[in-house]
Amino acid sequence: MATNEPRSVWSLGAPLLEGPVWVARDNALWFVDIKGRFVHRYDPASGGRQSWDAPAQVGFVLPMRSGGFVAGLQTGLARFDPADGSFAPLIDPEPDMPGNRLNDATVDAAGRLWFGTMDDAEAAATGRIYRYDGKDCVASTAPVSITNGPAISPDGRTLYHVDTLGGTIHACALAADGTLTDTRLFAQIDRADGYPDGPVCDAEGCVWIGLYNGWGARRYSPAGELLETVRFPVSAITKLAFGGPDLRTVFATTAAKHLDAAGREREPLAGDLFSFTVDVPGVAGVEAAF
């Protein structure tokens, strides 16, 4: 399904890029460097590039209907204003867990934010998926060390979330009130093939998964059948996002923090932003309703 090889479009060499999201209101891709504490904006039409410093490790930024972005910081959710670079605190879902940080997120059709936390040391099972509607923050999954996702199916009825160290992707029924039920195993990835990282759904309801230490990304059918693998020239692909005017350009964030000096020589493009094109488009994003 991929129509060309992934290529680097922004040479960053970053330790840990994450959270790519296409923001239609300004026709640009936004993403973060978690360990470098940066928010980045890439305009593929003009080649424009902008960066903002974050006050703490930042896992994602997603657009809000009220303007600006909701950001996932190690210190909790914050309102990010690119106009002045400010971060105003909203809520800390885990004030008693300073060793955790926020990692990945999406917005459902109702405008609710779904985001995950994780142990920053990547060891203790202290991470959960939360639902936030602008007022209440609700823990919605059992704890694991590293959460990724979630991603939501095009019809809004299924939520996918990832236990990265466990190598598993789970699917849940998502009710209109935000309740998750009927959790089932969607796919299991053998450790020899890499660790499942960030998920995203395309217009056919297929689930794309970035592979950390797996040299590629996988596309699964809604039934959990592996349909395609796209190979990359770097080993750690953290997440994909569909963008461009037709949502057929796939952007991919990657990482370099796992590499020593010899590894960096073998993977000179590690930690860059990549893109490739596909036949089946993605799904237009939803702005957070707060």
Side-chain angles (χ1 to χ4, degrees):
M1 199 193 91
T3 59
N4 58 6
E5 297 283 333
R7 63 183 182 90
S8 171
V9 295
W10 189 345
S11 179
L12 287 159
L16 185 57
L17 299 182
E18 248 290 6
V21 59
W22 181 257
V23 179
R25 67 191 184 199
D26 66 349
N27 293 311
L29 185 87
W30 292 73
F31 61 105
V32 300
D33 176 356
I34 295 175
K35 297 299 182 182
R37 301 185 180 185
F38 290 111
V39 175
H40 296 300
R41 178 186 181 273
Y42 173 64
D43 181 343
S46 69
R49 301 167 182 178
Q50 295 172 274
S51 300
W52 293 260
D53 291 319
Q57 292 189 96
V58 53
F60 61 85
V61 290
L62 290 168
M64 299 187 299
R65 291 180 194 170
S66 58
F69 291 79
V70 56
L73 302 176
Q74 182 161 9
T75 51
L77 296 175
R79 182 184 296 270
F80 166 56
D81 185 352
D84 60 8
S86 63
F87 289 80
L90 290 171
I91 190 171
D92 184 353
E94 297 172 340
D96 58 337
M97 292 190 228
N100 271 14
R101 65 171 175 83
L102 277 61
N103 190 46
D104 196 5
T106 194
V107 177
D108 68 18
R112 295 172 296 217
L113 176 71
W114 294 84
F115 66 94
T117 64
M118 61 170 281
D119 175 24
D120 194 38
E122 303 181 5
T126 55
R128 295 178 182 269
I129 299 294
Y130 288 83
R131 183 184 75 243
Y132 178 64
D133 61 5
K135 295 181 181 179
D136 299 317
C137 199
V138 180
S140 300
T141 63
V144 299
S145 296
I146 302 176
T147 63
N148 261 293
I152 296 172
S153 61
D155 64 8
R157 297 178 180 176
T158 303
L159 181 142
Y160 301 92
H161 62 94
V162 177
D163 173 358
T164 294
L165 292 186
T168 54
I169 305 150
H170 288 88
C172 311
L174 174 56
D177 65 357
T179 303
L180 300 181
T181 59
D182 301 325
T183 299
R184 60 185 171 83
L185 179 65
F186 175 75
Q188 175 89 44
I189 294 179
D190 190 280
R191 186 163 295 185
D193 296 328
Y195 294 88
D197 210 307
V200 67
C201 294
D202 65 22
E204 290 184 347
C206 294
V207 181
W208 285 85
I209 296 284
L211 296 176
Y212 202 100
N213 274 342
W215 297 88
R218 289 182 172 183
R219 182 178 186 243
Y220 289 87
S221 76
E225 175 189 6
L226 178 59
L227 300 177
E228 181 181 10
T229 300
V230 176
R231 306 303 297 177
F232 278 70
V234 296
S235 58
I237 293 78
T238 57
K239 191 168 183 177
L240 311 181
F242 293 86
D246 58 1
L247 295 177
R248 285 186 168 87
T249 299
V250 178
F251 296 95
T253 48
T254 68
K257 75 179 184 72
H258 61 300
L259 301 173
D260 58 15
R264 290 304 302 261
E265 288 187 8
R266 291 191 301 269
E267 299 182 38
L269 302 179
D272 287 3
L273 177 69
F274 285 78
S275 76
F276 61 95
T277 55
V278 291
D279 295 325
V280 177
V283 180
V286 180
E287 295 179 337
F290 49 85

